[in-house]
Amino acid sequence: MTNHAALSDALLRAADAMHADLTLDADRALRLAIWGDTDAEPPGDTEADLHRAALTAIAELCNTQPDQVAGLAHGRAQMAARIASSRAAVHAHRG
């Protein structure tokens, strides 16, 4: 089951990181948001699931595959992360 509050937070922090650093792609920004390091590997299943869910949320908004999110245009990825964060926040609020 997806923790929508954690998903929303990770997506928003990733979008903020991309805004602050134009060299970050969405995948690296998510790694930074979730694990604090742009090159981090998932330390456990829960964190890997969160990363996968965040990549999928961005990919769905951009009509691409999760493994192609890193190649998205910077502005497109940032906006998709913000929209996906808002959607996840609504789901979290509904409980």
Side-chain angles (χ1 to χ4, degrees), residues 19 30-31 35 39 41 46 52 63 71 77-78 83 94-95:
H19 179 77
L30 283 166
R31 291 173 187 273
W35 301 300
D39 297 318
E41 291 298 321
T46 301
R52 196 171 312 110
N63 296 316
Q78 186 184 149
I83 292 166
R94 290 182 181 166

Side-chain angles (χ1 to χ4, degrees), residues 18-87:
M18 285 187 280
H19 179 77
D21 183 349
L22 297 178
T23 67
L24 285 180
D25 62 49
D27 180 48
R28 292 177 65 227
L30 283 166
R31 291 173 187 273
L32 180 64
I34 296 169
W35 301 300
D37 183 352
T38 58
D39 297 318
E41 291 298 321
D45 290 340
T46 301
E47 293 86 2
D49 289 345
L50 177 59
H51 183 248
R52 196 171 312 110
L55 287 174
T56 300
I58 292 171
E60 287 174 353
L61 287 168
C62 295
N63 296 316
T64 191
Q65 297 298 313
D67 62 348
Q68 296 173 336
V69 165
L72 290 172
H74 192 266
R76 186 175 182 197
Q78 186 184 149
M79 289 309 299
R82 291 192 188 284
I83 292 166
S85 173
S86 295
R87 288 181 176 180

